[in-house]
Amino acid sequence: MNISNLSRRDLMKWGVASTLGAPLASAFAQASKGPITLVVPFAAGGATDVVSRLVAQKLTERIGRSVIVENVAGGGGAIGAAKVAKATADGSVLLMGTVATHAINPLSTPPAPYDAQRDFTPISLVATVPNVLLVSKSFKAKDVRELVALLKAEPGKFSYGSSGVGTPPHLSGELFKSMTGVDIGHVPYKGGGPAMTDLVGGHIPILFDVLTGAASHIRAGSVRALAVTTSKRSPSFPDIPTLAEAGVPGYETYTWNAVFGPAKLPAAFVESTSREMQAVVAQPDVQAKLKELSAAPVGSTPEVLATLVKTELDKWGAVIKSIGGLKRD
């Protein structure tokens, strides 16, 4: 399913961002008392943490029950996700999941610490975030077609950087390689910051990064953005084409944030929480903040999120298999 291609009418038909009315507190009252813990499976300060704290504050205001963010970092998100998978299914512990927790890690970390579909209850997709293909200012390829032609003319000469093995930017690069047939090496970094530093300094020629982290460098003109990885252009950078537009038809990847609970959450709680999440994401100030982070607000039903997880597992499973699996340091 192509989330980014859904129109407002489509989203309304699926029940996305459709509940704008008064809070529905009954299911929350029936669930266990006390605060709800929203586990963020990454360190404080990153994009997922920022989104989670915004959502937690707004959800608290709607349901009259405290939603507290807890950062449980490690294992590329697997440790925090595993904690939620093992939690009591009473609505007191939820997870802000990502493509890393629900596709990449389960497919690349043997033995998998959890089953991305069986061990969680989907609640709502909050937002999607494009990745972006960047080159250094001095690199001679000015667009994607020139880049592909150069890489094919000089196979094996160039490398691209990413924020690390198994990250969405890394696999975005591998999908680019497989769809264009280019021979290009991978230089993994321990985070997007060091990788961007080397791109700005001209130490690497090409970088796949999350648009949120790259935005300030693009605006400053210290790097050149050739294309975003989503199927539609980012409203934050409407002049940057998509990879599909720029010469790689059918290409699409993105990072996303979505709320999950443990398996077997009560249906009434899931329905009410999803509707409240859709209402939170629909609030104008939340929309503005997400767009400021170069994220596309969604707010979805559980069914939409469940379909997305299956689609992501199918897509990234094929990519990871094509490169012989992932070897992490």
Side-chain angles (χ1 to χ4, degrees), residues 120-259:
F120 296 91
T121 301
I123 294 175
S124 184
L125 174 64
V126 175
T128 62
V129 184
N131 297 314
V132 60
L133 170 58
L134 306 160
V135 295
S136 64
K137 286 179 63 177
S138 60
F139 197 62
K140 52 188 175 182
K142 304 303 182 187
D143 58 37
V144 172
R145 287 181 175 84
E146 288 187 8
L147 175 62
V148 172
L150 177 62
L151 296 177
K152 288 187 174 180
E154 302 182 70
K157 179 178 179 179
F158 300 100
S159 297
Y160 77 93
S162 81
S163 50
V165 173
T167 61
H170 169 213
L171 294 183
S172 292
E174 294 302 315
L175 185 62
F176 174 77
K177 286 171 58 177
S178 69
M179 292 184 69
T180 59
V182 299
D183 179 5
I184 180 173
H186 174 229
V187 181
Y189 287 81
K190 293 184 178 179
M196 181 61 74
T197 297
D198 271 8
L199 183 71
V200 172
H203 303 298
I204 55 172
I206 306 163
L207 176 67
F208 277 87
D209 198 8
V210 177
L211 184 57
T212 301
S216 62
H217 300 277
I218 297 170
R219 292 190 178 104
S222 57
V223 299
R224 281 191 288 115
L226 299 189
V228 294
T229 64
T230 39
S231 65
K232 290 188 177 182
R233 297 190 182 199
S234 168
S236 303
F237 294 94
D239 294 334
I240 302 176
T242 69
L243 266 162
E245 290 175 324
V248 190
Y251 185 102
E252 181 185 21
T253 71
Y254 47 82
T255 302
W256 43 265
N257 295 118
V259 177

